[in-house]
Amino acid sequence: DIQMTQSPSSLSASVGDRVTITCRASQGINRNLNWYQQRQGKAPQLLIYAASSLQTGVPSRFSGSGSGTDFTLTISSLQPEDFATYYCQQTDSTPRTFGQGTRLEIK
Amino acid sequence: QVQLQESGPGLVKPSGTLSLTCAVSGGSINSSHWWTWVRQPPGKGLEWIGEIYHGGSTNYSPSHKSRITMSIDKSKNQFSLKLNSVTAADTAVYYCARASVGIYSSIRYWGQGTLVTVSS
């Protein structure tokens, strides 16, 4: 199985801050990497697919980059609705593993 | 707009079988997608369980492969998950979802999730 490791596990930030979350794969996955946002008590929502493609309807303050084993999700200017948990997922091979999540909290 | 809705017992006894169904509306189960199950234990992260294609092909997580069966009912436009020999560790919110097929697969549509508790 490909292991996905996110860092940090939790993060405190303020509205307007720029935030970066990283995701590392245990082996190369090309650009087969997705990012999801999960608000409390809700199903996850797709933010970024193919490492850097913005899902329709997702605000442009979200961006993704990377390929191979190292990936980042950046939120350019945090908004109140962005405080949630973020997960990366690799789809290069099965099982299509998720990272352990990064909880983004209000400072 | 594609919608998915999970249904099934919210309480299962230890050593029993967890059975869930996902009803698909706004789209056909015969379309080229991976029909997927993901679970989330209380307070923990997401775990991919497995996926099934309309032709019947499946991919299961090796961690649970011996206990999982997924199936598709084309007449009812729904797919199902069975997980046998359950323990308390299988207590989780179970999500059904639709993932795109091929390069750069991703999950764009999710059910709302259903909590299944394993307890006597």
Side-chain angles (χ1 to χ4, degrees):
Chain A
D1 299 5
I2 298 175
Q3 307 303 315
M4 306 302 293
T5 304
Q6 289 182 231
S7 61
S9 295
S10 63
L11 176 60
S12 294
S14 302
V15 172
D17 283 355
R18 180 183 181 90
V19 167
T20 297
I21 298 169
T22 65
C23 180
R24 175 165 288 176
S26 59
Q27 64 189 70
I29 58 171
N30 298 302
R31 297 176 60 82
N32 294 298
L33 191 284
N34 305 316
W35 289 99
Y36 299 89
Q37 177 193 67
Q38 186 179 34
R39 296 191 175 104
Q40 187 68 31
K42 300 295 186 182
Q45 291 186 300
L46 180 66
L47 296 175
I48 302 285
Y49 64 96
S52 61
S53 295
L54 194 66
Q55 169 65 359
T56 302
V58 174
S60 59
R61 63 181 179 273
F62 291 92
S63 63
S65 65
S67 66
T69 60
D70 295 313
F71 302 86
T72 61
L73 172 70
T74 299
I75 311 172
S76 60
S77 179
L78 276 173
Q79 298 302 301
E81 60 269 28
D82 300 338
F83 292 94
T85 301
Y86 294 84
Y87 294 93
C88 61
Q89 181 204 24
Q90 67 81 20
T91 55
D92 189 68
S93 64
T94 59
R96 307 191 196 278
T97 42
F98 290 91
Q100 82 277 16
T102 295
R103 184 174 179 180
L104 181 52
E105 301 174 319
I106 300 175
K107 184 183 287 184
Chain B
Q1 175 77 344
V2 174
Q3 292 185 317
L4 300 100
Q5 179 67 57
E6 306 89 351
S7 62
L11 181 65
V12 181
K13 294 187 185 304
S15 77
T17 297
L18 180 158
S19 296
L20 294 173
T21 296
C22 181
V24 180
S25 59
S28 173
I29 200 84
N30 275 322
S31 59
S32 293
H33 294 94
W34 285 110
W35 303 99
T36 300
W37 290 96
V38 173
R39 74 179 185 180
Q40 185 170 38
K44 297 188 177 181
L46 301 170
E47 180 186 13
W48 185 89
I49 300 172
E51 62 191 11
I52 184 167
Y53 192 67
H54 67 77
S57 299
T58 56
N59 293 303
Y60 297 152
S61 169
S63 299
H64 310 296
K65 189 171 185 176
S66 63
R67 300 193 293 137
I68 296 174
T69 303
M70 293 184 185
S71 60
I72 280 189
D73 186 335
K74 297 180 181 180
S75 66
K76 295 182 179 178
N77 215 44
Q78 64 185 33
F79 62 106
S80 298
L81 167 70
K82 289 188 186 297
L83 181 66
N84 57 35
S85 304
V86 296
T87 70
D90 295 309
T91 294
V93 174
Y94 285 76
Y95 294 100
C96 62
R98 191 185 87 169
S100 53
V101 168
I103 194 169
Y104 304 140
S105 174
S106 61
I107 298 175
R108 287 171 168 77
Y109 296 100
W110 297 74
Q112 66 184 23
T114 187
L115 174 63
V116 179
T117 302
V118 178
S119 175
S120 55

